[in-house]
Amino acid sequence: MTIADRALYRPRHATQTARRSLSPTVAFTGTALAFASLYLAAGAPTPLFVLYQRQWGFAPSMLTVAFAAYAFALLAALLVAGSLSDHVGRRPVLVGALLVELVSMLMFVFAPNLGWIIAARVVQGLATGAASSAFTAALLEVAPPRYRRWGSLIGSVAPAGGLGLGALLTGAAVQFTHSASLIVFGTLTVIMAAGTVVLFLSAETSAPRPGALGSLVPRVTVPHPARREFTAAVPVHLSSWMMAGLFMGLGPTIVRGVFHLDSGLLNGATAFVAPGAAAVAGVLTGRLHGRRATLLGTAGVLAGTVIVAAGIAAGLLPVVWLGAAVSGLGFGSAFGGALRLVGPHAQPHQRGGLFAAVFLVAYLSFGLPLIVAGQGVALLGLQPTVLTYSAVAVLVAAAGLLTQLRLRRQEALMPATA
């Protein structure tokens, strides 16, 4: 084989690694910031929906449609492109997803009506779903050895924390500026562009391999050994993600419609509390046994939802914030614990399909109940709808808690019966 032939058949990742100049530390930092920015952007529109409603005069139920469009698009992209980076490399998927995200930011900036906002949310969801698994893998692979633990931590905390922080910062922009949409999405456009450049200049961390087209076929499978844990976690995921969807999708509407407060900062703070608490819980409970974390988290979701309902019924916003914090802590603990429980029951080649099934349940729980609630607002009114929604979440969380307690009792008896 000639020298030219060797160059032609040299593994693509080796060539890319040699020609890239960014140090591992810079590449890791840029990758982490780009990953977090995706979720900052996802949370950013929440406080703006009330402004859009006031400006364009659409029904409150359309707010939930605009929010849920993001969740469904993200789920679709995750199922189709979730493993694509394993075949074509991390960089092409991440750079492509950030370019698509850039398009969505510009759509938000120039949106003339709600239809454009919904379209922007769909594009945003597609970009985030396509990039999520690739970013999670890249954070571990690009991290220098001394930062390896940080890569795992950022991968688990950034989604929830980014959603909440994006809403909080946008709420502040709404409160203290007159061009919140332009400032927020203009800034995010710059951040996304910078992240795209960093990723383009970073080394490839995954060697390409055959099967890219086959990887685009969605695979949602639950291996037989994992079915018990998967089924037991369904009510846990349902109640947790229902409450997350409530605050991210209807939080500003609740502040305005129930408490008669018109404040961008309060809107952003209300949307921030639950996902912010979930990110904290992900850090604090990451070392707990999966069953214990799931039990504590499900109890937290149940208790927090009851507190939220009490605060809405009594007209006390600080009580609602307390409930959001408790349910958010529960969400972060329960979701992480449930993943740790189900994961070991699948072989490595089965885990992609298994986690696709988990996220199918999660994002359907995030979006579908919220759309139903949006229709309920038009029929029943805001406060009765939110109280009914909370009651359903309490019942589902109670079912999940009882199921987890039953499994723990069975586990405690296993050594005695072995």
Side-chain angles (χ1 to χ4, degrees):
M1 181 178 288
T2 67
I3 293 176
D5 291 332
R6 290 173 184 170
L8 178 64
Y9 288 101
R10 184 181 302 158
R12 195 177 77 182
H13 70 289
T15 304
Q16 290 169 337
T17 300
R19 77 184 185 206
R20 303 300 165 190
S21 58
L22 291 183
S23 70
T25 300
V26 173
F28 171 69
T29 302
T31 300
L33 291 175
F35 180 52
S37 70
L38 278 179
Y39 291 93
L40 282 170
T46 296
L48 291 168
F49 284 149
V50 173
L51 295 183
Y52 295 146
Q53 184 183 13
R54 186 184 307 158
Q55 181 178 353
W56 296 321
F58 51 82
S61 61
M62 294 304 296
L63 292 176
T64 59
V65 172
F67 179 80
Y70 165 82
F72 295 149
L74 188 154
L75 176 60
L78 185 65
L79 293 177
V80 172
S83 61
L84 182 61
S85 70
D86 291 336
H87 299 274
V88 301
R90 311 293 183 215
R91 287 177 58 254
V93 172
L94 294 178
V95 170
L98 285 180
L99 289 175
V100 173
E101 183 78 11
L102 271 172
V103 172
S104 73
M105 296 298 96
L106 294 174
M107 291 174 70
F108 278 115
V109 169
F110 297 106
N113 53 50
L114 180 63
W116 273 75
I117 295 297
I118 294 175
R121 288 293 275 174
V122 170
V123 173
Q124 186 179 46
L126 292 173
T128 306
S132 292
S133 60
F135 260 125
T136 304
L139 283 169
L140 296 176
E141 294 163 355
V142 78
R146 65 183 182 278
Y147 295 139
R148 197 62 49 82
R149 180 178 174 274
W150 282 101
S152 177
L153 184 63
I154 292 169
S156 62
V157 170
L163 281 172
L165 189 59
L168 182 63
L169 293 176
T170 301
V174 171
Q175 183 71 33
F176 300 115
T177 72
H178 297 290
S179 303
S181 182
L182 178 61
I183 291 171
V184 169
F185 294 114
T187 301
L188 286 169
T189 298
V190 174
I191 293 173
M192 296 295 173
T196 303
V197 172
V198 169
L199 287 165
F200 181 77
L201 295 177
S202 298
E204 178 59 76
T205 59
S206 177
R209 61 187 179 91
L213 290 178
S215 73
L216 299 178
V217 178
R219 291 176 176 85
V220 180
T221 56
V222 181
H224 183 74
R227 287 177 187 173
R228 186 181 75 160
E229 289 293 354
F230 176 84
T231 304
V234 167
V236 175
H237 297 321
L238 177 56
S239 58
S240 300
W241 287 80
M242 277 182 68
M243 293 309 294
L246 177 68
F247 283 103
M248 293 303 299
L250 279 178
T253 303
I254 292 170
V255 171
R256 185 182 181 190
V258 174
F259 300 101
H260 309 294
L261 298 171
D262 193 1
S263 166
L265 193 58
L266 288 179
N267 291 340
T270 302
F272 165 78
V273 173
V280 172
V283 176
L284 296 180
T285 65
R287 296 183 182 274
L288 291 180
H289 184 273
R291 185 73 63 206
R292 185 178 183 187
T294 305
L295 276 168
L296 289 174
T298 308
V301 172
L302 194 159
T305 305
V306 171
I307 296 171
V308 167
I312 289 175
L316 297 172
L317 184 57
V319 176
V320 173
W321 285 348
L322 174 62
V326 173
S327 66
L329 288 169
F331 178 20
S333 178
F335 189 65
L339 290 181
R340 294 198 296 277
L341 286 172
V342 75
H345 294 284
Q347 298 298 318
H349 68 278
Q350 298 172 321
R351 285 175 188 158
L354 173 60
F355 288 127
V358 170
F359 282 105
L360 177 65
V361 173
Y363 282 104
L364 287 178
S365 303
F366 198 48
L368 275 180
L370 193 62
I371 290 179
V372 175
Q375 302 303 314
V377 169
L379 297 174
L380 305 175
L382 180 59
Q383 189 177 43
T385 297
V386 174
L387 292 176
T388 302
Y389 188 100
S390 301
V392 172
V394 166
L395 292 175
V396 175
L401 185 61
L402 291 173
T403 302
Q404 293 296 320
L405 286 170
R406 177 175 57 82
L407 291 179
R408 188 177 70 169
R409 285 194 296 269
Q410 291 176 357
E411 291 167 349
L413 292 174
M414 284 176 64
T417 59

